[in-house]
Amino acid sequence: AALGILAFAWVELVYVNRDDPSQLATMAVLYAAVQLVGMSVYGIEPWSRNADAFGVYFRLFSMLSPLHWRDRELYVRPPLAGAPRLDAGAGTVALLCTMIGTVSFDGLSQGALWTGTNGVAPKLQQRFINLGFSGEVALEITFTVGLLFMVGVVSGVYRLGVVGMHSVGRGHTTTELSRRFVHSLIPIAMAYVVAHYFSLLLYQGQAMAYLVSDPLGHGSNLFGTATSTIDYNLVGANGVWYVQVFALVIGHAA
């Protein structure tokens, strides 16, 4: 699941042809095929709960909900109460650090530190060009390095915090502590998702109108909405900023 989320982030943030509808359609079919093979080998329930990237991803967020489904009945519980019940197995820490790290890179990649004239990306890309790579490939390698670096930073910070716990309580391994406290990262991961993808959902979500009419980019107009456009005045920059700040503060407090 962690590798699946990392691959999705790579396609979204690194892959140059990520806007090609035919490429995305191929990836969607490939993803479905992998799920079918995995379920046939390991079983539907085990694969869905542990390996299906988006299934595991959204299940983590669902643990924050005041509603939960058990024994074919709907129950109510206090908000966030489901998170401490997370059964953190192998890969759970890696998944949550990947979730936070990839979205953190999404924010970093929009700033001057990364893309500015004297930013890291142009200098690193030029180094790869000097090694003989094309400009496009060099750009993908540069952003791949940045993506993996941010995942490593988040993982390192969490690991450092867990290691620090040994100074106040002995008798627990670092792996055990990292798993027992990893549920506290779920609200933070949710906050980063809301903060970084709110504007994308708000604006690019409107693109659904023309994408459904021309899903493969062949110039079709199935529903007569292929000429619709995106209204960027729907919410101003200040409105987006307030939502982002609110989400981050509430998420970390949670």
Side-chain angles (χ1 to χ4, degrees):
L3 290 175
I5 293 300
L6 183 64
F8 169 75
W10 185 88
V11 171
E12 180 191 6
L13 303 175
V14 178
Y15 186 44
V16 174
N17 296 320
R18 57 183 174 270
D19 293 332
D20 184 345
S22 61
Q23 293 277 15
L24 296 178
T26 301
M27 292 179 191
V29 173
L30 179 61
Y31 182 85
V34 170
Q35 305 316 306
L36 291 175
V37 172
M39 290 176 182
S40 68
V41 174
Y42 295 100
I44 296 175
E45 183 64 19
W47 181 268
S48 299
R49 291 179 66 87
N50 299 288
D52 175 10
F54 293 108
V56 178
Y57 181 86
F58 287 114
R59 177 175 172 271
L60 286 175
F61 290 149
S62 74
M63 302 184 79
L64 306 177
S65 172
L67 302 176
H68 69 113
W69 185 263
R70 187 177 74 247
D71 299 329
R72 305 184 71 177
E73 292 182 335
L74 188 63
Y75 292 87
V76 179
R77 64 188 175 193
L80 310 178
R85 299 182 181 183
L86 173 65
D87 183 16
T92 306
V93 175
L95 173 61
L96 276 158
C97 289
T98 298
M99 290 165 60
I100 298 175
T102 53
V103 181
S104 298
F105 175 70
D106 184 23
L108 173 69
S109 64
Q110 305 301 318
L113 176 64
W114 180 255
T115 58
T117 304
N118 295 316
V120 176
K123 295 179 180 179
L124 195 58
Q125 181 185 9
Q126 187 58 49
R127 287 181 178 272
F128 288 118
I129 292 176
N130 294 339
L131 291 176
F133 294 100
S134 66
E136 184 177 287
V137 174
L139 183 63
E140 289 182 334
I141 296 175
T142 298
F143 272 67
T144 299
V145 171
L147 180 66
L148 295 176
F149 174 78
M150 284 307 300
V151 172
V153 167
V154 172
S155 302
V157 170
Y158 180 68
R159 182 79 175 185
L160 184 63
V162 172
V163 170
M165 294 179 187
H166 292 298
S167 64
V168 294
R170 304 290 179 177
H172 300 281
T173 66
T174 302
T175 299
E176 176 198 355
L177 290 173
S178 65
R179 292 183 182 180
R180 290 181 65 175
F181 283 87
V182 74
H183 67 273
S184 64
L185 297 183
I186 300 176
I188 298 175
M190 182 70 178
Y192 273 62
V193 168
V194 173
H196 283 279
Y197 291 106
F198 174 71
S199 59
L200 183 71
L201 175 64
L202 190 68
Y203 300 128
Q204 296 302 320
Q206 299 177 53
M208 186 65 68
Y210 60 77
L211 289 176
V212 294
S213 281
D214 187 15
L216 298 180
H218 293 161
S220 58
N221 191 6
L222 301 177
F223 301 100
T225 57
T227 58
S228 62
T229 58
I230 298 175
D231 181 10
Y232 288 99
N233 295 319
L234 188 62
V235 175
N238 286 342
V240 173
W241 184 84
Y242 279 117
V243 170
Q244 292 174 331
V245 172
F246 180 80
L248 290 174
V249 171
I250 295 299
H252 282 82

